[in-house]
C-alpha cells in the first residue's frame, strides 16, 4: 500500500497485515490470512479454530428484506461457514450487537432466537458479547470458536498442480435471490424463487461436510465460497502457490434464475454468499472420495483442476477456449 | 423484557440472554455475564478467557479528537482490560474493522500500528479479523483471548459481606479528559490536562496487576471499571449476591479537574473509561495484600466494603450519612 492513496483491495490490506504483523507463537498453527486462525492451547488434545465476521445494515443486509430471526441465524451461519472451511466443529460464539435507539425488544428477542436455533443445531454455544447503541443502523460482529477432530485441519494452502477442484452444492442461488429483491420481481408463489430466497436468507453452513472432508485425509486444501469463485479461488491459489483452470460447462449453476433475467453462470462465478465449500483432491484419490462421499451431504461437483502458476485462474469455455477469469466477485474496497 | 417496548437497559438484555441462552458444556467454566467467558479446552493445562468489545465512531470516539494510532491502541486496551479483570494473560486478538470509502491507507497503517504497539507490550498477537466498507463511520470490534496462569481466575461473583473493596489507580481522570474536549477548554501547555487526555486516549489496561492479584489467592472477586463505579459496582454486587458501601472521602479522585469545572467525586463515581480494577479482599487478608502489593503497580486504595444485601450500593458521605448511590454511569440503552 502507498501512503497517500485511498484504500485498495481487501486482499492488499490482508497481505499488508500478514507481512507486517504476522507474529510467531508456539500456540499459533495458522495466523492471519486463512478462513480462520488455528491455535493450540497449552497441552490440549485438539486445536482451536477462531474466525470473526461482520454484518452491517445497508451493506450486508436490509431490514426491509430480512426478518430479525433470519438475520440472527445468518450472522452465525457466515461464521460457521468459515469453521466449516477448516474442517472444525463449532463450539462457542461471542456476539457484538450495535442497535439504533428505535429497536424494539421483540426485534432483539427474535434476532437471538434465530441465532440460537442455528447455535443449537450446530452445537455452538453463546458465551458472551457486547451491546451498544448505534447512530447508524444495526451492526453485528460475531466471533466463532471451533474445535478440530484428531487435529485434522484443512487450510487454503497445500494444493498442488494436478489436484482436482470440487465444490459442494449449487452456486449462484443466493445471488439470484438477492437479484429478485433488488429488482422487485418476487412472486410469492414461485417454488424456484422461494428456493433462491431461502438460500439468501437462511444459508446452510457446511460444517458437517467440512468436518467429514477433513477427516478423510483425501483433501489437500479447502476454503468456503463467500465472495464468489472469481474472488475466492484466486485466494486459494495464492495460498497454495498454484493456478487453477475451471470448466464453465461443469459449474453446478442455478438454472432457474434465467426466469428472472439472471445469467446463471455469471452468478455462479461472481455472485457471493453461496457458503459452499471449495476443495482440491489429488487426482489419484478423487475416485475414492467420490465413492465414499455420503449421499446425505450436499452433492459435490468437479469443476476443474489446479495447474502450475502463481494465483492465475483460467476458465475453459465450451470448445476448450481458455481465458483468464476476471475477479468480479465481492470486494469491499474495490475502487 | 416486554415485547412491545423499546430497548431497556443493557443489564436487562444481558440478564435475558443469561436466562434464556446460558448453555451448559464441559468446556465452559463461565459463560454470559462476567467481564469475559472462561473456557477449558479439552485436556489443556490452562483455561482460556474470551472477551469482545466494540468501539463505534460518534458513540465511543470522534475522529477529530483522536489519532488513528491512539484509536487502534485504545480498541485493544478496552479488551485487555476485560482480560485483566479475570486475571488472564493476553494471548490473541481478532479485529473487525469497517471503514468508510474515504479512509486513507495511512489511516489504516497507523490504526494497526497503535494496536500492534500495545499488542507487542502485552504479548497479544493479531491472528485474524474481517474488513468491510462502511456507509456510516468507522466501526471496530475486537475479540481478545487470554490464558490463565495455574487456572487461577477471578470472577465478579464470590464476594462476601465484610470483604474490603479496593480500586487501582485514579478514578474520573479519563472522564475529565473527555469533558475538556467537549467544552473546548484544552490548554496545550497544562500538565494536568495532558494527564487527563492521556488517560482518555491511551488508557493502560491493568493486565499485569490483574494477573498478580489473581495469583495471590487473597482476592475474592474482581472486575474492571469501564462504565463508572455507579454502573459497575452494582454488577459485581449482583454477581456476588451482596450489597456494598463506599466511602466518598476515600475515593482516589482526580482533584485537578476542578480547574476546568469538573466535580472530581462525581466523575470518580459516574465517569466511564477508567479501566482500573475493582476487587474485594476478605478483611483478614487485607493487611497482607497491602503489604506485599508491588510498588511498581498502580497504587491501590481501599474505598469501602461489601455488606449484606442484594445488589444495593450505598455511599457514606463525610459525617457518616449513608445514602443510596444512583446509577448514573454509562448505559447504552438507558431511556
Amino acid at each position: 500500500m502507498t501512503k497517500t492513496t485511498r484504500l485498495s483491495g481487501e486482499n492488499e490490506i490482508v497481505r499488508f497485515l500478514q507481512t507486517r504483523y504476522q507474529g510467531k507463537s508456539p500456540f499459533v498453527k495458522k495466523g492471519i490470512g486463512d478462513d480462520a486462525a488455528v491455535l493450540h492451547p497449552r497441552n490440549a488434545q485438539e486445536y482451536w479454530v477462531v474466525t470473526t465476521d461482520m454484518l452491517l445494515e445497508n451493506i450486508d443486509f436490509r431490514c426491509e428484506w430480512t426478518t430479525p430471526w433470519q438475520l440472527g441465524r445468518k450472522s452465525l451461519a457466515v461464521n460457521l461457514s468459515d469453521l466449516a472451511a477448516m474442517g472444525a466443529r463449532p463450539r462457542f460464539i461471542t456476539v457484538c450487537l450495535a442497535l439504533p435507539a428505535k429497536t424494539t425488544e421483540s426485534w432483539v428477542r427474535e434476532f437471538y432466537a434465530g441465532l440460537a436455533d442455528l447455535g443449537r443445531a450446530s452445537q455452538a454455544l453463546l458465551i458472551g458479547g457486547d451491546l451498544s447503541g448505534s447512530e447508524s443502523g444495526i451492526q453485528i460482529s460475531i466471533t466463532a470458536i471451533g474445535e478440530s477432530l484428531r487435529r485434522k485441519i484443512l487450510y487454503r494452502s497445500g494444493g498442488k498442480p494436478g489436484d482436482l477442484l470440487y465444490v459442494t452444492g449449487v452456486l449462484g442461488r443466493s445471488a439470484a435471490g438477492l437479484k429478485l429483491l433488488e429488482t422487485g420481481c418476487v412472486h410469492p408463489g414461485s417454488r424456484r424463487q422461494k428456493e433462491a430466497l431461502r438460500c439468501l436468507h437462511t444459508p446452510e453452513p457446511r460444517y458437517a461436510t467440512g468436518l467429514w472432508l477433513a477427516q478423510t485425509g483425501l483433501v489437500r486444501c479447502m476454503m468456503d465460497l463467500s465472495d464468489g469463485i472469481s474472488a475466492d479461488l484466486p485466494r486459494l491459489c495464492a495460498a497454495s502457490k498454484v493456478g487453477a483452470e475451471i470448466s464453465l460447462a461443469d459449474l453446478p449453476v442455478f438454472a432457474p434464475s434465467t426466469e428472472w433475467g439472471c445469467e446463471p453462470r455469471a452468478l455462479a462465478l461472481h455472485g457471493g454468499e453461496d457458503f459452499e465449500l471449495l476443495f482440491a483432491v489429488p487426482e489419484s484419490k478423487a475416485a475414492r472420495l467420490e465413492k465414499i462421499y455420503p449421499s446425505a451431504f450436499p452433492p459435490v461437483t468437479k469443476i476443474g483442476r489446479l495447474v502450475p502458476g502463481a494465483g492465475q485462474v483460467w476458465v475453459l469455455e465450451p470448445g476448450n477456449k481458455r481465458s483468464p477469469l476476471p475477479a468480479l466477485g465481492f470486494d469491499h474496497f474495490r475502487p
Side-chain angles (χ1 to χ4, degrees), chain A:
Chain A
M1 292 194 291
T2 55
K3 282 220 144 196
T4 49
T5 54
R6 298 281 167 86
L7 285 178
S8 46
E10 218 170 318
N11 292 346
E12 202 169 3
I13 302 178
V14 173
R15 267 196 300 273
F16 159 73
L17 293 175
Q18 263 182 313
T19 312
R20 184 82 182 73
Y21 295 116
Q22 186 81 276
K24 289 222 182 302
S25 153
F27 308 128
V28 179
K29 307 297 290 180
K30 185 83 189 180
I32 303 165
D34 213 299
D35 289 295
V38 180
L39 305 174
H40 189 191
R42 210 181 284 266
N43 295 352
Q45 184 178 327
E46 295 293 343
Y47 297 151
W48 273 18
V49 177
V50 182
T51 184
T52 190
D53 258 312
M54 280 176 287
L55 270 84
L56 308 178
E57 187 173 349
N58 297 332
I59 292 202
D60 299 294
F61 63 90
R62 294 188 182 279
C63 282
E64 60 272 32
W65 289 347
T66 183
T67 68
W69 186 92
Q70 289 169 336
L71 184 62
R73 189 188 181 285
K74 183 167 178 175
S75 307
L76 178 54
V78 305
N79 278 280
L80 296 189
S81 183
D82 284 321
L83 295 185
M86 316 297 288
R89 298 173 281 177
R91 283 290 177 254
F92 314 107
I93 47 170
T94 60
V95 178
C96 286
L97 190 57
L99 299 169
K102 66 174 186 201
T103 313
T104 62
E105 294 189 357
S106 108
W107 192 99
V108 175
R109 280 173 183 272
E110 285 170 39
F111 174 88
Y112 279 105
L115 190 139
D117 281 353
L118 180 57
R120 210 169 295 120
S122 63
Q123 299 192 51
L125 207 60
L126 179 65
I127 56 164
D130 189 21
L131 291 160
S132 173
S134 166
E135 292 194 342
S136 50
I138 295 161
Q139 297 152 40
I140 305 153
S141 74
I142 291 186
T143 298
I145 301 179
E147 191 188 24
S148 67
L149 178 57
R150 299 190 198 94
R151 298 193 190 175
K152 290 181 178 173
I153 290 290
L154 289 171
Y155 300 95
R156 292 180 181 181
S157 55
K160 293 196 178 3
D163 290 354
L164 301 184
L165 269 177
Y166 288 86
V167 292
T168 58
V170 171
L171 303 181
R173 202 160 38 173
S174 170
L178 181 61
K179 201 77 175 178
L180 269 180
L181 294 172
E182 284 173 348
T183 54
C185 296
V186 181
H187 293 90
S190 158
R191 192 169 59 85
R192 298 316 206 149
Q193 293 198 354
K194 274 186 195 153
E195 183 182 348
L197 292 172
R198 195 186 61 236
C199 287
L200 177 67
H201 291 313
T202 57
E204 291 294 342
R206 304 305 191 190
Y207 49 87
T209 308
L211 176 64
W212 184 89
L213 286 168
Q215 294 301 308
T216 61
L218 302 173
V219 176
R220 211 119 65 170
C221 61
M222 185 157 73
M223 73 182 300
D224 76 320
L225 291 171
S226 52
D227 295 335
I229 285 188
S230 73
D232 287 328
L233 179 52
R235 292 172 180 151
L236 182 128
C237 287
S240 286
K241 300 193 176 79
V242 296
E245 205 172 77
I246 58 177
S247 160
L248 266 195
D250 292 337
L251 289 178
V253 303
F254 183 61
S257 68
T258 50
E259 287 169 22
W260 54 94
C262 296
E263 216 289 73
R265 273 186 192 158
L267 293 189
L269 288 172
H270 312 300
E273 303 214 320
D274 281 319
F275 303 115
E276 297 293 350
L277 296 172
L278 170 70
F279 58 96
V281 181
E283 192 159 14
S284 62
K285 295 179 174 169
R288 168 139 186 81
L289 182 90
E290 291 188 28
K291 185 162 168 235
I292 64 171
Y293 187 83
S295 60
F297 287 163
V300 288
T301 309
K302 186 171 64 193
I303 62 162
R305 61 172 67 233
L306 299 181
V307 299
Q312 307 93 327
V313 176
W314 304 87
V315 170
L316 286 180
E317 288 170 52
N320 260 1
K321 206 185 123 220
R322 191 173 114 142
S323 56
L325 176 64
L328 302 177
F330 191 70
D331 182 328
H332 279 288
F333 303 115
R334 185 174 305 122

